[in-house]
Amino acid sequence: MGSLAYVIIIGILIAFVATALIFIIKNIIAPSKIDGIPKLIKDGRFQAAQRCAKSVISKNPRNYLAHYFLGEAYLKDGKQELAYIEYKTVNQNALFNGEIPEAEFRKEMAELYKRFNQPDKALKEYLLLTKLEPNNPENTFKAAEILETQGNAKLAMGFYQKTILLNKRNPKAYTSIGRLLLRAKNYTQAKQALETSIKLNPESYENYYYLGKVCKENKDLSTAVKLLEKAERSQEYRQKALVEKGTCLMMADQLEKATDAFERAVANAKVPNSQETLYARYFLGICYEKSRKIEKAIEQWETVYKCNSKFKDVVSKLNQYKELETNDGIKEYLTANNQQFVELCKRILLAGYNLQSQKTDFTPYGCQILATEKKQEAFLNAKQQFFLAQFYRSTDTIEETPVRKLADTIKTKGYVKGLLFASSDFSHAAQVFADSRPLALIPKDTLESLFRKVGIQ
């Protein structure tokens, strides 16, 4: 019996020692191992930190502090996807009792959600942060940014305004408010917000871009162009600024400068089918069209069409000029330089109406010729009667307004008749108006027959 008792006592002692060792491993060695992970991360030994954290997790998968450290080590090591997995585990299971720095964790979690296209979850983190750190304007600003990208302008505006209440010298918040007000067409307040942002940060070229757009909408084109030229200094905003600058110059009838701006916008394209690039090409085509460089205009519009066949009225533009490929008369009429165009118009008047030019003027739409009938020798002393001929180089339908203006000029000047030639057609209202007046409307089809009379097929 003594031997048996001895064996039992030894067994109990062994079991006690084993239990003690297990306790030491779980509660002394492991904690000391996890306690060393933050220092490894701080020292930049990210892979060592990952190994330690994994070792702890292998023994206790529910140790969420170890999951947090592993996620942090992954994050610092540039392994965002792995960090995202660990942080999600922490976010779904951990109790934030002081071991895990909650505010820091939620900021990192929010950024990971944004990176992996989870804006709703990122917004939730920032909203929690506004409660954890109610005086930190960065959290309200980032919440506002997400709300803006989601199209919730009203809520975004509220958070941007709260950001300014917390920090009145936050230029980004003023910029964002100005941008939202611009979209809402509240140009006065948009201008105030953007000008405030510029005072706080004169080197933010984004502000010059949006303020330039505000001035453009207010028809202050010269100021808009100056602001957009400042925005051009930014590589990020250069192409956008050039497109806006080009449209301002078009509105100001500075065609040559507008063409240069759009050509530079196309040259600065980083993405061939981006909206900015398509707008640049489309408007460059308009400039070429106005300069009678029709073939170059078609080239731009065809490029736009290949990228996006539904872009603005590019299909209509291409269809309007499709017949240039087969109709030499229309092609010469539309593409000739000003001097050649006037000479062609004189030939049309003489061949088709026995009228000879007395005075010519270039106009934004083409040219205007004051003409008289070519007299036979027997009638050289007869009183001259004047006809006013206007030639339009446009593929757009001629509406009633220019016809009315021609009628008023005929009446005021005492001319016998007005003739309006067009490389397009006339609206029904224009035709009705001309029927009872000394006006002749010559549409494209009639013009084409006149080209044959002057030897152009």
Side-chain angles (χ1 to χ4, degrees), residues 281-326:
R281 288 191 178 278
Y282 176 82
F283 286 124
L284 179 57
I286 298 291
C287 288
Y288 285 147
E289 180 187 31
K290 291 178 181 291
S291 302
R292 316 320 311 164
K293 299 175 182 177
I294 305 300
E295 291 177 348
K296 294 182 76 172
I298 291 171
E299 182 183 342
Q300 294 300 321
W301 294 328
E302 284 178 340
T303 302
V304 173
Y305 178 81
K306 288 175 185 176
C307 295
N308 182 358
S309 61
K310 296 181 180 179
F311 189 86
K312 291 180 75 66
D313 63 342
V314 70
V315 172
S316 174
K317 286 285 184 188
L318 289 171
N319 286 337
Q320 287 171 350
Y321 288 105
K322 193 174 183 180
E323 62 186 298
L324 289 184
E325 299 173 5
T326 57

Side-chain angles (χ1 to χ4, degrees), residues 220-234:
D220 185 359
L221 299 178
S222 60
T223 303
V225 168
K226 290 175 184 176
L227 289 163
L228 292 164
E229 284 174 346
K230 286 187 177 181
E232 284 180 50
R233 299 174 192 172
S234 162

Side-chain angles (χ1 to χ4, degrees), residues 320 323-324 327-335 422-423 444 447-448 451 456:
Q320 287 171 350
E323 62 186 298
L324 289 184
N327 193 318
D328 289 339
I330 288 291
K331 183 176 182 179
E332 184 170 342
Y333 185 85
L334 291 173
T335 62
S423 50
K444 180 179 67 175
L447 191 59
E448 287 175 355
F451 291 145
I456 304 173

Side-chain angles (χ1 to χ4, degrees), residues 4 14 134 146 168 184 228 275 327 330 349 393-394 396 450:
L4 181 59
I14 290 170
I146 294 173
K168 292 183 179 180
L228 292 164
Q275 283 294 101
N327 193 318
I330 288 291
L349 281 177
R393 290 206 280 185
S394 172
D396 297 327
L450 292 170

Side-chain angles (χ1 to χ4, degrees), residues 152-406:
N152 197 331
K154 187 176 180 180
L155 268 179
M157 178 67 80
F159 275 92
Y160 284 134
Q161 289 171 336
K162 188 175 180 181
T163 301
I164 288 173
L165 287 174
L166 294 171
N167 179 11
K168 292 183 179 180
R169 299 189 62 79
N170 187 321
K172 290 183 179 179
Y174 284 107
T175 299
S176 299
I177 288 173
R179 183 174 60 241
L180 288 176
L181 289 168
L182 170 61
R183 289 174 187 166
K185 300 184 179 181
N186 188 338
Y187 303 128
T188 302
Q189 291 186 30
K191 183 179 180 183
Q192 291 173 355
L194 292 165
E195 286 177 341
T196 301
S197 186
I198 287 172
K199 287 177 184 177
L200 293 170
N201 184 11
E203 299 304 313
S204 177
Y205 297 106
E206 178 183 10
N207 290 316
Y208 297 111
Y209 170 71
Y210 287 115
L211 189 55
K213 290 190 70 171
V214 169
C215 291
K216 173 191 164 187
E217 295 298 335
N218 286 331
K219 303 297 187 290
D220 185 359
L221 299 178
S222 60
T223 303
V225 168
K226 290 175 184 176
L227 289 163
L228 292 164
E229 284 174 346
K230 286 187 177 181
E232 284 180 50
R233 299 174 192 172
S234 162
Q235 189 171 357
E236 181 183 356
Y237 282 90
R238 184 171 299 143
Q239 188 187 36
K240 291 181 179 180
L242 283 165
V243 172
E244 290 296 330
K245 176 182 164 184
T247 56
C248 288
L249 292 165
M250 279 180 68
M251 291 166 68
D253 291 325
Q254 296 184 35
L255 194 59
E256 189 174 336
K257 290 182 178 180
T259 302
D260 177 69
F262 291 129
E263 286 176 340
R264 288 174 58 208
V266 171
N268 277 274
K270 294 178 182 176
V271 182
N273 60 348
S274 70
Q275 283 294 101
E276 288 80 14
T277 304
L278 297 184
Y279 271 107
R281 288 191 178 278
Y282 176 82
F283 286 124
L284 179 57
I286 298 291
C287 288
Y288 285 147
E289 180 187 31
K290 291 178 181 291
S291 302
R292 316 320 311 164
K293 299 175 182 177
I294 305 300
E295 291 177 348
K296 294 182 76 172
I298 291 171
E299 182 183 342
Q300 294 300 321
W301 294 328
E302 284 178 340
T303 302
V304 173
Y305 178 81
K306 288 175 185 176
C307 295
N308 182 358
S309 61
K310 296 181 180 179
F311 189 86
K312 291 180 75 66
D313 63 342
V314 70
V315 172
S316 174
K317 286 285 184 188
L318 289 171
N319 286 337
Q320 287 171 350
Y321 288 105
K322 193 174 183 180
E323 62 186 298
L324 289 184
E325 299 173 5
T326 57
N327 193 318
D328 289 339
I330 288 291
K331 183 176 182 179
E332 184 170 342
Y333 185 85
L334 291 173
T335 62
N337 63 38
N338 285 343
Q339 196 56 50
Q340 292 170 337
F341 178 64
V342 167
E343 292 303 318
L344 174 60
C345 294
K346 288 179 181 178
R347 289 162 60 195
I348 288 171
L349 281 177
L350 188 58
Y353 299 88
N354 196 38
L355 296 174
Q356 57 185 12
S357 170
Q358 300 297 325
K359 182 185 177 184
T360 61
D361 294 294
F362 296 116
T363 63
Y365 51 78
C367 76
Q368 178 173 278
I369 299 176
L370 185 62
T372 57
E373 286 184 303
K374 185 178 180 182
K375 297 178 181 179
Q376 299 296 327
E377 190 172 342
F379 299 97
L380 288 178
N381 294 324
K383 184 180 178 182
Q384 286 186 324
Q385 291 184 317
F386 289 95
F387 297 76
L388 185 61
Q390 294 180 343
F391 292 82
Y392 276 71
R393 290 206 280 185
S394 172
T395 55
D396 297 327
T397 299
I398 306 298
E399 300 294 340
E400 183 182 348
T401 301
V403 180
R404 280 185 174 275
K405 288 182 179 178
L406 177 57

